Amino acid sequence: MITIDIDGTITLYQGDGGELVISGLDENKAYTVYFAIQDEKRNILGEELQVSVSGSDTVTFILTPEYTDLLVVPQNKPYKIYYYGIKVCEVGTTNEDTLFIADSTYGDVNRIIVYPRKVKGGYSE
């Protein structure tokens, strides 16, 4: 399960999947929206996710268990903090905007608090 606080902080267990919904886009425009996770040294973990949207004011990123499994919590820590960013690019233009979450401003960081996996589990059909 993935939760998102009012300030944009994402909380999850390592290896859990879920959706991240971004709203407030201009539904009269077409966009490519990007999502990336970084560690404390600004190294991007995994691939940047990207979703194209047109005619909608929302976009949904699917965070798979395989993707969040990259967010490792050290054995001696109760949790680890990672960081994320979202960029909106208007199709057919050079307009690119890094989104601010809630009341954040330049220099603020968007946090992901990751707790260690509780159980491995497994998907079955």
Side-chain angles (χ1 to χ4, degrees), residues 21-34:
V21 179
I22 308 300
S23 58
L25 301 174
D26 183 341
E27 60 189 35
N28 297 311
K29 296 180 180 178
Y31 298 101
T32 302
V33 185
Y34 299 87

Side-chain angles (χ1 to χ4, degrees), residues 51-67:
V51 176
S52 296
V53 62
S54 181
S56 176
D57 69 342
T58 63
V59 64
T60 302
F61 288 99
I62 305 298
L63 304 184
T64 65
E66 294 81 13
Y67 189 68

Side-chain angles (χ1 to χ4, degrees), residues 41-55:
K41 295 179 182 174
R42 298 186 188 170
N43 297 312
I44 292 181
L45 302 173
E47 299 290 323
E48 278 191 1
L49 303 180
Q50 89 179 51
V51 176
S52 296
V53 62
S54 181

Side-chain angles (χ1 to χ4, degrees), residues 94-105:
T94 57
N95 296 338
E96 295 185 358
D97 291 312
T98 299
L99 294 185
F100 292 120
I101 306 299
D103 292 327
S104 60
T105 60

Side-chain angles (χ1 to χ4, degrees), residues 81-117:
I81 297 176
Y82 290 90
Y83 306 95
Y84 72 95
I86 300 169
K87 182 166 274 200
V88 177
C89 301
E90 187 179 347
V91 174
T93 73
T94 57
N95 296 338
E96 295 185 358
D97 291 312
T98 299
L99 294 185
F100 292 120
I101 306 299
D103 292 327
S104 60
T105 60
Y106 283 98
D108 289 349
V109 293
N110 302 319
R111 299 181 323 146
I112 300 177
I113 301 172
V114 180
Y115 290 92
R117 176 190 326 277

